[in-house]
Amino acid sequence: MPVKQEPNIYEELRERLRSARHVFALTGAGVSAESGVPTFRGGGDTTVWKGMPFDVISSAGMLARDLPAVWEWFDYRRGVLGHCQPNAAHTTLARWQDSFPRFTLVTQNVDGLHAAAGSRDVLELHGNAWRARCLGCGWREDVRHLDADERPPVCRACGEAMRPDVVLFGEMLPAGVFEEAAMRASECDLCFVVGTSAIVYPAAALPAEARRAGAYLVEVNPEPTPLSEICDMTIRGLAGEILPRLEF
Ligand code: OAD
């Protein structure tokens, strides 16, 4: 079989984009890497903070044992995020939302950079680090509106402690969001998987769902992942360089 030359890959994809009815994109930490947001696993390193692996500090068990420590970790992460701007991958995906009859953007990221780039109605599977949620009544509030010296912050609605509004290891996804994402995945005809190691479920099941329903599956990632095998096309490269090349 003749090896596909690079330019042909891009032209083929542009052609698919031009005729797509419903484009679905799933993003992970890699889409924000070029913005300066550290990934969790990319490159083989595990993020460790104060001697704790991220899946220990970011866990339901830690929340139950030491809520202020979980706040300290997310305050630290927001401190990093505060310096980060959306990159060309985020802005390309934001432009795509008005380029097709239907477009769905699903992210595992909690950094808010898709919205900062102008994306609307992003399905945030793992919540958002810029939001707090009351442990008592469920009231949600932008963390920037809360007293930064009060950890944990106290809910203005009921006086209970608040927590970061993110999904921690050992927790369920927010009600309905995965179901909505899975339904849309099953209705798309072109699915992009960008910057995710594709090992955290149930998010990683979405591309397979799209594939099962007959969508053409494209992966953009400098490294192979467990999904690579079922993809119709894998583009080994950086999201911020590859996605703008697909403008059609
Ligand atoms: P990971 O850190 O597991 O994987 C990041 C992926 O991005 C890797 O496959 C890298 O090869 C790839 N990558 C790195 N730089 C890239 C670039 N510039 N362009 C494209 N790809 C790049 O992050 P996720 O897959 O998002 O969950 O992790 C999934 C979930 O695990 C996270 O949402 C988080 C974490 O635990 C929770 O916190 C619940």
Side-chain angles (χ1 to χ4, degrees), residues 109-197:
N109 300 343
V110 298
D111 56 31
L113 286 175
H114 283 303
S119 285
R120 303 180 299 271
D121 304 324
V122 183
L123 292 174
E124 293 177 323
L125 295 176
H126 295 162
N128 191 308
W130 296 98
R131 239 180 9 238
R133 184 173 88 238
C134 176
L135 286 166
C137 69
W139 173 263
R140 288 182 165 84
E141 184 126 11
D142 189 315
V143 176
R144 289 159 289 201
H145 300 158
L146 299 170
D147 181 351
D149 294 328
E150 192 176 53
R151 290 293 181 258
V154 169
C155 173
R156 73 173 77 235
C158 75
E160 280 288 328
M162 299 188 89
R163 56 165 287 174
D165 193 16
V166 297
V167 176
L168 302 173
F169 280 91
E171 293 186 324
M172 307 284 285
L173 267 53
V177 65
F178 177 76
E179 291 74 9
E180 175 73 20
M183 191 187 74
R184 302 225 211 150
S186 72
E187 293 170 353
C188 75
D189 49 8
L190 183 53
C191 175
F192 283 83
V193 190
V194 185
T196 176
S197 57

Side-chain angles (χ1 to χ4, degrees), residues 43-242:
D45 291 334
T46 298
T47 307
V48 174
W49 185 74
K50 293 198 170 179
M52 281 176 284
F54 71 90
D55 52 353
V56 172
I57 182 72
S58 273
S59 68
M62 185 59 79
L63 189 89
R65 279 196 305 281
D66 195 344
L67 179 57
V70 175
W71 269 106
E72 199 185 332
W73 157 241
F74 278 96
D75 283 341
Y76 161 75
R77 284 182 66 186
R78 266 184 284 99
V80 175
L81 293 179
H83 300 288
C84 299
Q85 301 295 326
N87 64 54
H90 297 107
T91 53
T92 302
L93 289 168
R95 272 198 297 279
W96 282 6
Q97 71 195 336
D98 297 316
S99 303
F100 310 100
R102 276 184 88 192
F103 178 73
T104 299
L105 179 54
V106 180
T107 190
Q108 300 164 85
N109 300 343
V110 298
D111 56 31
L113 286 175
H114 283 303
S119 285
R120 303 180 299 271
D121 304 324
V122 183
L123 292 174
E124 293 177 323
L125 295 176
H126 295 162
N128 191 308
W130 296 98
R131 239 180 9 238
R133 184 173 88 238
C134 176
L135 286 166
C137 69
W139 173 263
R140 288 182 165 84
E141 184 126 11
D142 189 315
V143 176
R144 289 159 289 201
H145 300 158
L146 299 170
D147 181 351
D149 294 328
E150 192 176 53
R151 290 293 181 258
V154 169
C155 173
R156 73 173 77 235
C158 75
E160 280 288 328
M162 299 188 89
R163 56 165 287 174
D165 193 16
V166 297
V167 176
L168 302 173
F169 280 91
E171 293 186 324
M172 307 284 285
L173 267 53
V177 65
F178 177 76
E179 291 74 9
E180 175 73 20
M183 191 187 74
R184 302 225 211 150
S186 72
E187 293 170 353
C188 75
D189 49 8
L190 183 53
C191 175
F192 283 83
V193 190
V194 185
T196 176
S197 57
I199 55 174
V200 174
Y201 278 80
L206 293 170
E209 181 60 37
R211 185 79 166 79
R212 229 186 337 268
Y216 189 85
L217 199 52
V218 183
E219 177 175 68
V220 179
N221 196 315
E223 307 283 338
T225 75
L227 267 187
S228 303
E229 271 182 21
I230 65 156
C231 285
D232 296 291
M233 185 184 284
T234 54
I235 307 183
R236 297 269 162 263
L238 307 180
E241 292 175 8
I242 303 297

